[in-house]
Amino acid sequence: MEDYNKIIESLGVKFVKARHIRILQPITIKNFYDVQNSLTILYDGEVSFGSEESQKVEEGDMLFIPGGKHATVTYGNTATAKTVSNEEFMTNRDNYIEGGNDPALIGKLPNSFGLISFEAKVFDTVNFFTSLDVPPFLIKRDDQIAITINQILTEDMLDTPGKGRIIKIKTEEVVIEIIRYILKNKLFVEQLVTNSTYFKDPRLIDIFAYIKDNLGGDLSNKVLANVANVSEDYVGQYFKMLTGINPQDYIEYQRMEKAVDLLRTSKKSIRAIGSDVGYKDTAYFCRRFKMMFGIPAGKMRRRESLMNV
């Protein structure tokens, strides 16, 4: 348990969005994707997830989707739901859902759910839940988490002193409660054991930190080998042995995650953003971006996702 306490202490948690959403039309979203973690609590109606074996979310239950994980999600009745791509949903989301801003109505509207999204990074560098390779999963009715989500939704809708501080604290509570739920129910045991081991390796932490600080630069295996003080021939094997993925795949994900953040928060051109995250060829950057997210970088900038309703 001490290992898990150390990991929790190392987590940098950042609140991103909170929304109270009403379903206007049943819809199935293929390959729903976001770089942030999302936690949805169903208040009324129907929500399900999974493509081959759909799993139903009961009222009061919560669906957790780790950042970087593709998922098929249905909002509303599965039998009558219209199936759309993630791009179609993000382009025309007003046809399917609407957001609310009245705290008195939280949990009281028909066909509604609450949603919060957040980052949780070890040493502010690597996504914790993504590193575990945790799939989307269901959190059965948990009053503690439910109360905290409602408090975050309420705070986010109001303009009161200390709002940001309260939301930050409550978001950290949610992350800890999710980890406690995983441990209590013995979920993803193998991934947790691996994670608690490799996050204690200082050479790997050095690599993570270097990648984060140099996304626009040379991140070849030769450079990473020098950072970790291992041979160039061994660094790829070393990284994959500890993390389960090869370093270049991890680097591309980090670059794309940063690109999404810049698209959402800056007015830089697509060319400039691609260059900032290490892609000198804009056309190649755009191809890789669409391959990863299913939509062009330009649409990612123009759209408002489920988190931005």
Side-chain angles (χ1 to χ4, degrees), residues 171-210:
T171 305
E172 289 178 344
E173 288 181 14
V174 167
V175 172
I176 293 171
E177 290 298 334
I178 292 172
I179 296 172
R180 286 178 174 177
Y181 185 90
I182 291 173
L183 294 173
K184 179 181 177 181
N185 292 277
K186 296 181 171 58
L187 304 177
F188 321 115
V189 175
E190 184 177 341
Q191 293 99 313
L192 278 171
V193 170
T194 301
N195 196 58
S196 65
T197 300
Y198 76 68
F199 278 133
K200 293 184 292 185
D201 189 313
R203 294 176 299 176
L204 189 63
I205 299 305
D206 287 344
I207 291 177
F208 284 147
Y210 187 86

Side-chain angles (χ1 to χ4, degrees), residues 127-134 182 188 191-193 195 198:
N127 290 300
F128 175 66
F129 295 105
T130 304
S131 71
L132 288 177
D133 197 27
V134 171
I182 291 173
F188 321 115
Q191 293 99 313
L192 278 171
V193 170
N195 196 58
Y198 76 68

Side-chain angles (χ1 to χ4, degrees), residues 20-31:
H20 183 222
I21 297 168
R22 187 165 72 91
I23 303 165
L24 301 177
Q25 176 184 338
I27 181 173
T28 296
I29 307 167
K30 291 286 188 181
N31 293 322

Side-chain angles (χ1 to χ4, degrees), residues 81-96:
K82 176 184 178 182
T83 300
V84 300
S85 66
N86 199 40
E87 181 177 355
E88 156 66 15
F89 171 70
M90 291 187 293
T91 302
N92 300 297
R93 55 115 176 111
D94 288 342
N95 297 330
Y96 309 115

